[in-house]
Amino acid sequence: MKLITKLFSLMSINRSFPQIFIFILIITSLLSCNLGVTENNTSANAKNPVQSQLQQNTLPKSISQAVLRNASRLSGLKINNLQITQVTATNFGNPCMFKFGEICTKEYNPIPGWIVIVQVKEQAWTYHVNKSGSQILLDPKINTNKLPKKISNAVLSDASKRSGLAVNALKITQSTQKTFSNPCTFGFGEVCAQIFDPIEGWEVIVKVKSQFWTYHVDITGSSIVLDPQVTKTAVRK
């Protein structure tokens, strides 16, 4: 800018100097300034690549595939229609926080892993994944509404046998993917030890006439447990 000021001064003092050369010098100076700004911006971006890194999938390939398989199974979409859009390495403070607990103690028992965002149509699904990939948990607030047909049929078949009603007279009104902390909680135990031996599965609600029956089902559908609070009079012997 100082150079441009001097050039204008020269024009005002020495009218005999060809003004065309002055204008050329001014334009050249301006272009040099712009190039300097561009170079500085490029240099700054190179030093701070955080924005670009946010979009990179830094998960090990095997864990990335496991997350996508889980999202595919729950959403009913093919894996190539899903995309991991963000991966954040983190240390979850304790198992409660890792399991999306809303009210957790301040106990520090860290679980290293990742927060993974998967794009499923218009939704962004949040997963918590531990470092080894042995635990992949979907945020329970996300309603997938995609109970696998095999499990749906098995639950309705069980409710049909117990109630004496035809399968088409029954309706699954809600299904929620859950991680049951241990076999006791999976089996509707009222007083369970605080042992962490997780069982991945579903909580399924079935409408039977005017009642709503709650089932716990493991992820494969091989274990189906009806809430014992369903009264004996509601279940046909």
Side-chain angles (χ1 to χ4, degrees):
M1 292 301 293
K2 291 181 179 179
L3 176 60
I4 295 172
T5 304
K6 289 181 179 179
L7 289 172
F8 275 115
S9 299
L10 181 61
M11 289 175 62
S12 60
I13 294 171
N14 190 357
R15 297 288 183 177
S16 63
F17 192 82
Q19 293 189 6
I20 184 64
F21 293 112
I22 300 296
F23 283 122
I24 290 173
L25 288 172
I26 292 172
I27 292 171
T28 304
S29 299
L30 290 171
L31 288 173
S32 298
C33 291
N34 288 336
L35 287 172
V37 171
T38 303
E39 287 175 359
N40 289 335
N41 288 340
T42 303
S43 176
N45 289 335
K47 292 179 182 178
N48 186 24
V50 174
Q51 188 65 34
S52 61
Q53 287 180 355
L54 288 176
Q55 303 304 321
Q56 295 178 2
N57 181 0
T58 57
L59 286 174
K61 188 175 181 180
S62 60
I63 296 178
S64 176
Q65 290 173 341
V67 171
L68 289 174
R69 281 198 300 270
N70 183 279
S72 174
R73 178 175 53 78
L74 296 178
S75 67
L77 299 175
K78 293 182 179 179
I79 289 179
N80 57 12
N81 290 329
L82 304 170
Q83 182 182 9
I84 292 176
T85 58
Q86 187 172 325
V87 175
T88 305
T90 188
N91 277 319
F92 302 96
N94 54 50
C96 176
M97 295 177 182
F98 178 75
K99 293 184 292 181
F100 294 93
E102 294 185 0
I103 302 176
C104 297
T105 64
K106 293 185 178 180
E107 167 204 9
Y108 186 63
N109 183 14
I111 297 177
W114 295 274
I115 299 172
V116 182
I117 308 299
V118 179
Q119 191 65 35
V120 182
K121 290 186 176 180
E122 297 83 15
Q123 286 187 312
W125 289 11
T126 302
Y127 281 91
H128 285 177
V129 185
N130 68 349
K131 197 72 174 179
S132 67
S134 60
Q135 294 186 61
I136 298 174
L137 306 183
L138 176 64
D139 185 345
K141 291 181 180 179
I142 295 171
N143 185 10
T144 63
N145 291 320
K146 287 292 182 181
L147 185 67
K149 190 173 182 180
K150 173 186 172 183
I151 295 178
S152 173
N153 290 341
V155 170
L156 290 173
S157 177
D158 184 89
S160 175
K161 290 176 182 177
R162 293 176 184 272
S163 66
L165 299 174
V167 170
N168 58 12
L170 305 170
K171 182 181 180 181
I172 293 176
T173 59
Q174 185 177 329
S175 59
T176 307
Q177 188 191 26
K178 295 191 71 172
T179 300
F180 303 96
S181 57
N182 55 51
C184 178
T185 56
F186 178 78
F188 293 93
E190 294 184 1
V191 181
C192 297
Q194 298 297 312
I195 300 172
F196 187 62
D197 183 15
I199 297 176
E200 298 290 335
W202 301 80
E203 184 176 81
V204 183
I205 310 297
V206 180
K207 185 177 182 182
V208 181
K209 291 185 176 179
S210 59
Q211 290 191 323
F212 292 90
W213 293 7
T214 301
Y215 281 91
H216 287 174
V217 188
D218 73 349
I219 205 72
T220 64
S222 59
S223 182
I224 299 174
V225 182
L226 175 64
D227 184 352
Q229 294 299 321
V230 174
T231 62
K232 293 181 179 180
T233 56
V235 180
R236 182 180 179 183
K237 296 181 180 180

